[in-house]
Amino acid sequence: MVDSVTPLKEAIDAIFESGGKSIELCYQCGLCNTVCPWNLVKDFMVRKVVREARFGVSEIEGEGIWQCAACGNCVARCPRGVKIIDVVVALRKIASEYNILPKTIRVARGSLSGEGNPWGGRREERGNWADGLPVKSFTENTEFLYFPCCTQIYDHRTRKIAVATANILKKAGVDFGIIGPEEVCCGESIRKAGDEDLFKKLAKENIKTFIEKGVRKIIVSSPHCYQVFKNEYPEFMVSFEIIHISQLLIQLVNQGKLKFVKEYGKKVTYHDPCFLGRHNGICDAPREVLSRIPGLDLVEMANSYRDSLCCGGGGARIWMETPKGERFSDLRLGQALEAGASELATFCPYCILNFEDSRLGLEDSNVIEIRDVTEIIQDVI
Amino acid sequence: MIVGGGISGIQASLDLANSGFKVYLVDKSPAIGGHMAQFDKVFPTNDCSMCIESPKFIECDRHPNIEILTYAEVNRVEGEVGNFKVTLTKKPRYIIENKCRGCGTCMQYCPISIGDTYNENLSSTKAIHIYFSQAVPLLAYIDPGTCLYFRDKKCTICAGVCENKAIDFHQKEENLEIEVGAIILAPGYEVFDPLLRPEYGYGKMKNVVTSLEFERILNADGPYRGEVVRPSDGKHPKKVAWIQCVGSRQVIPGGHSYCSAVCCMYAIKQTILAKEHESNLEATIFHNDVRTYGKEFEQFYRRAKSLPGVRFMRSYVSIGREISGSNNVTVKYSANGSVKEEEFDLVVLSVGLTPPKEREKLAAKFGIDLNAHGFCQSNSFNLMETSRPGIFVSGAFGGPKDIPESVVTGSSGAVLCGEILSGRRGKLAREKEYPPERDISAEEPRVGVFVCHCGTNIGSVIDVPSVAQYASTLENVVHTEEVLFACSADSVKHIAETIREKGLNRVVVAACTPRTHEPLFQDTLREAGINKYVFVMANIREHSSWVHSREKKKATQKANDKIRMSVARAIKLRPLKEIELPVNKKGLVVGGGVAGMTSALNLAKQGFEVHLLEKNKDLGGITRRIHYTLEGKDVQVYLNDLIHSVYINPLIHVYTGSSVIESSGYVGNFATKVMHHGKEKRIQHGTTIVATGAEEHKPDQYLYGKNDNVLTLLELEESIVRGDEKIINSESLAIILCVGSREDNRPYCSRVCCGQAIKSALRLKEINPGMDIYIFYRDIRTYSFKEDYYREATGKGVVFIRYDLDEKPLVEAVKGNNGQILNITVTDPVLEKKVVIEADALALATAVVPSAQSEEISRLFKVPLSQDGFFLEAHMKLRPVDSATEGVFLCGTAHFPKHIDEAAGQAYAAAGRACTILAQNTIKSSGAICEINEVNCSGCGLCIKACQYGAVDLQETPDGRKARVTPAVCQGCGACASVCPTAAISINHFDDSQIMAEIDSAYSPTVKKGQFEPKILAFLCNWCGYAGSDMAGVSRMQYAPNAREIRVMCSSRVHPKFIMEAFLQKIDGILVCGCHLGDCHYMKANEQTDKMVNITKKTLEKIGINPERLRQEYISAAEGAKYAEAVNNFTRYLTKLGPVQINEEQERKLIEYKLKKLQKKK
């Protein structure tokens, strides 16, 4: 016996008000299901999530609404223009209001409110990663602000990316500085987790700092920072020039300011981070940079460019535990090995964290290396 | 000027030319035909596309008032309506058009292979080539991009082999300036390029093809010769997936938001055809809504669904991966709460239709507006009117549409040109002048035989001089001559001179197929002053040199035989008169709704008097109840304007409150009795347009009639317009679609309801944005641009819930907070839960049903009804507004449910078709029709049953009841003659003596020694069997030289006595080839062939002749291979069986059966 439901008007209104109004447009074709990476590991019916929302009968207590990694595959392909990530975020907002949150999100939220980062690191230590490096503090006369991701600041593995980046920028003679304790997390992931208030608080804090410091151009390492600075901060009526490190690198190479002088005789595959490739269309710059490295053999995986396979870290899932067997990053490493690569290169600290985890889960974790492109470049300049 | 030579442009050209205008038909391609020429079959009849389109090419080509300009593009249009000056550029073909004979020799020798665009690059052709075998004009052209001459000036092989010296490498672009009064734009569409959406895997995976490519794969003349194989390895695919809506119904970059309107149907068609090729093929169609909204479409869908191994899966899909090794492709789809990944051998992308790439340029050149989708912007109540007066649009450039709708808009566009140019009708049109005809009735037959070399096409295989020598020995032959190209302008002139000089009174041209060239030579005979019916073509090219090229001796022998048969036939031919009948230049329109009024008004504007009958007391029909369109236009303003225009037009006589009592007559001369205000009135008219409309079905379900809050969709509209507060202040309102449609007892889709429901929902949302609106549907069928309104409705909060026929919504009246409400329960297929909707009101989108009077009208005007009860057109695809009765036309919802603009469009088309008759002073009927000998007629009436056209009836005479034929109605198929038990019916031009003469002379009486060679006689119907044999020729398929062909117009003409005669002539086997059942060009006449063959087989058994010596084959015009195989198989079979042995006893019986029925009478 199937139970019967009646559309819940109040719930529908709440979802619409929280940004999910585009669910109205859905004509239930089911394409979203077929492109959602979750269905590579277990059944997950995106269409049903959308349909339930349309009738106001979503289950906000369950795991369902927390699955989405915001990879954007479904949004990119939805023939009807349903902004499915926004729908999911709307549901999370409602869950957030009822305080029905996964525990890990709660932890990250606490840390963000208190210390301005989700990793429980101390705010004062925000600039510590650059200790001993020739990195100056940003002043009004500095051309670029370099804004590393919180991960790069507090996690020892991805900190190497920040270090590599600083070294490269220095070598290329780029005039850049960092802010340190006065900046906070960009807020991308907490917004996806549905905590709009906290996001706004973080964003305003950053904006205030940036304006006070006279920031005009910002270099970011993380596609997530890029996404939120470039596409979401303008909601606060500000406009900074945001440049992803991959874009800057190819400019520097083309201008002759950065020269690759050493051979890098490895077979490398490039993984497009969702927020760099699919969400922001930056697919060619990273490949162009890699292809300029002498000796580097660039191979493609089955899913590439805008069709890339998500590592599983977007949509606040970087803070959540994904059980073994359900990790997209495991599948992605499989693809990299199938392509014959001995190294997987990418441009995103979240991806690096997930892939490193997956690598350790391999029978022989030495078959492949995970590197940020900046780390490779650091080796060849 | 018609710009675009696809089916729509062709129809417009023919209609205009036939109603007295000079037409320039311009096409940028090297040949006319458009996309339709690429299709294999057409839905829902599965007619062979080329078979039905190519006769139209020839009609255009031969028409004195049509000038075809191919390979030409318009540069500029200056001036205004009535006086346009059009500048065009004709691209160089590098071929001198009046020298090229289209023989194709150059193609054989050209060393450069290039992709064949006609076959969607799935096969190759040469740098010099003819666009496709049936191309009109049949001329070669050189692709300068690949031709070696244009690269380094070295290769001139083609110029060397061309016997006609037709190659001219120095040809330049040519500019033309033409003055015209009106223009029809029919540039057609392009198919969506799937490379724009890389996720489909097209271009990367070999076994992902577009539907147009698959169309060519299916085609007998396609890249794989009609074998359904896949591109990667040439293997037969066993599992094929069709993916719907590729490039359509999507708002993502590269896609189009509109529905392409035709893909559901063509995919279903392709499924059925693929299953016909390979019966155990598994076909899956991945779709969202299935949009089978046209006439007979839903039934077609049902038929496909019932085939074993055919699955319709409601899910859009994503392409997974290509499997290495097999090159199979995986497809991921949603089903039952999970995503499945399945492997297919071949994936067909149902690509949508897009406006031409050059649309912007086109719009600028012609000074017309485009709509948001890049199609031509047209007037909301007149789909053919563009933003520039005097320029009309037809076909898919006005929006995605199928063939019949393209034909309809072609006819409509034509008639709108006619409306503005009516004063100039006939001024430029010309008719050819001929010398007076010589009376040859008393002359002895004097036969002239001209044997054509066709360059080397015939001459390189057949020993032409010896054949000519042989012909000269035949009885009554007084002149024989060899010619290089019989059809060249100088040869034709020479033939005419020879006829006059030598006093010839019968002419045989031994060359190619009569299907293309007979009209030319018949014309030559008229020019020479003799009757055109004393001409015979011996087809020694398609039937011999091209198909027996490896057996030169036998090919030559066959040529001798064919000429002997032709001469024997020629001797028996008689001059025939084409009857000319005066035309009454008045039109009758039955039905005063939008369609009827539009037709009447258009005829009147063209200067014809019209009688308009309406059964109700007011004009307007069902449109009186419709107030606005989905697009938001005010219908009543339009309707009142229309009614006003009708009333004030002095040429229109309106009879409201009238009914038809009786109608008689034939095309050009009808008489109809009408009861009007209690008085009987007799109206004489030349044509009739039936526009009797349709009605709204009143349901007996969902509490209709039992609960005041349940109404029909039209009632809802009236309530909205009235401002009925109960409705517009509803908190919640529901609409159920498909009420009484798409069910077993009424299987068709009513087409308009989805759009109408969305229209009302949008209007209600506008009035009362807070209202909750729920629409319960089975498939949303907002085809073409209507799709945008579907999306708009969802975006405005209308909730769509799908239900299945086996679980219809449950409607219950319950008590709500503020009085009675309705509870509607249905299972939502995505939630997999029952959803209960509370509604204050419920509207039912009930079926559109035929008007109550249609059966009577059908009987009175002899227009048959389809199974659904709507009026049946003469041909679903190409004659969508003609009825089976000549001179009677159909339009509006009497034909099938349709929207107002569509009904009006069809009304123009009906008027246009009527105009082609009314514009003539007289009409000619063919001479090749039946003639009844009243002395022999026993009045049994069998012929009346056999006749599909009602051309025969019984008449009381002093000698009893006798059959009588109305010559203007007879189509000459011969079905009546074959059932006549007393041989009282003779078919002129295909009479018994003529056919017997061919049978008797098919094989030379000299007994040959050596190995047994079976002798086969093949009766081929003109339209399919013969065309199929021509196709075998054009495709150079080699088969056994053992058949001698006899052409008949329809296979139903084959009388058992011909078969008896053939056996008496010791012919070993008889093959009868006709169209596939359902494809017959004479409606259902070929079903009679079936019966005849079965009865004759039984007779043969009685006589003691193996009945297997008589064979019947269904062969379409595209099935050259099938014909070749049929002859080969039969030859093999007969070789094994040995020669036919007829003993004296059997001979006696054969003669008895041959004459039997006639004797009975005596």
Side-chain angles (χ1 to χ4, degrees), chain A residues 40, chain B residues 319-321 330-333 339-344:
Chain A
L40 298 170
Chain B
I319 298 287
R321 61 205 169 93
T330 70
V331 170
K332 294 192 213 178
Y333 60 95
V339 170
K340 302 242 178 359
E341 183 164 11
E342 204 173 305
E343 202 176 314
F344 289 90

Side-chain angles (χ1 to χ4, degrees), chain B residues 1089-1141:
Chain B
T1089 314
D1090 245 28
K1091 285 184 209 147
M1092 183 284 295
V1093 168
N1094 288 333
I1095 292 170
T1096 310
K1097 280 184 176 225
K1098 280 186 195 133
T1099 311
L1100 291 174
E1101 217 161 356
K1102 272 188 223 158
I1103 300 173
I1105 294 172
N1106 186 342
E1108 294 302 310
R1109 289 185 184 274
L1110 171 61
R1111 259 192 199 188
Q1112 186 188 9
E1113 294 279 357
Y1114 302 107
I1115 286 163
S1116 85
E1119 290 173 332
K1122 192 172 174 194
Y1123 178 74
E1125 212 171 295
V1127 173
N1128 279 339
N1129 282 344
F1130 205 21
T1131 305
R1132 271 196 297 275
Y1133 176 81
L1134 292 169
T1135 309
K1136 222 188 257 172
L1137 206 63
V1140 65
Q1141 308 281 353

Side-chain angles (χ1 to χ4, degrees), chain B residues 103-123:
Chain B
C103 69
T105 306
C106 51
M107 281 171 79
Q108 283 171 12
Y109 288 94
C110 175
I112 296 300
S113 285
I114 61 168
D116 185 353
T117 51
Y118 174 68
N119 272 337
E120 291 292 302
N121 291 318
L122 291 169
S123 66

Side-chain angles (χ1 to χ4, degrees), chain A residues 249-301:
Chain A
L249 287 173
I250 191 66
Q251 273 179 30
L252 296 172
V253 171
N254 287 339
Q255 289 162 358
K257 291 180 183 162
L258 195 60
K259 289 202 174 74
F260 302 149
V261 293
K262 291 178 200 150
E263 283 272 318
Y264 198 79
K266 287 186 182 167
K267 216 173 197 178
V268 178
T269 190
Y270 175 71
H271 163 78
D272 296 85
C274 299
F275 277 86
L276 199 59
R278 191 156 32 244
H279 288 280
N280 286 297
I282 303 171
C283 297
D284 293 328
R287 286 183 172 77
E288 230 180 302
V289 172
L290 284 169
S291 65
R292 299 288 180 89
I293 299 172
L296 187 145
D297 182 7
L298 184 64
V299 293
E300 293 290 350
M301 289 179 274

Side-chain angles (χ1 to χ4, degrees), chain B residues 81-93:
Chain B
V81 50
N83 287 297
F84 288 114
K85 195 167 83 187
V86 184
T87 321
L88 311 111
T89 302
K90 229 168 144 353
K91 288 180 275 181
R93 280 177 184 267

Side-chain angles (χ1 to χ4, degrees), chain B residues 1025-1059:
Chain B
Y1026 203 101
S1029 71
D1030 279 349
M1031 177 52 78
V1034 166
S1035 314
R1036 312 294 203 273
M1037 288 163 181
Q1038 301 298 305
Y1039 58 87
N1042 292 58
R1044 300 295 175 265
E1045 302 82 3
I1046 294 180
R1047 180 167 76 126
V1048 285
M1049 292 312 283
C1050 177
S1051 59
S1052 67
R1053 173 68 187 103
V1054 181
H1055 193 284
K1057 67 186 156 198
F1058 300 152
I1059 292 160

Side-chain angles (χ1 to χ4, degrees), chain A residues 5 24 27 29-30 51 79-80, chain B residues 249 251 795 800 828 834 836:
Chain A
V5 295
E24 289 182 327
Y27 59 18
C29 67
R51 192 65 172 163
R80 214 57 172 170
Chain B
R249 302 185 68 193
V251 295
F800 289 80
D828 183 88
K834 280 204 166 126
V836 185

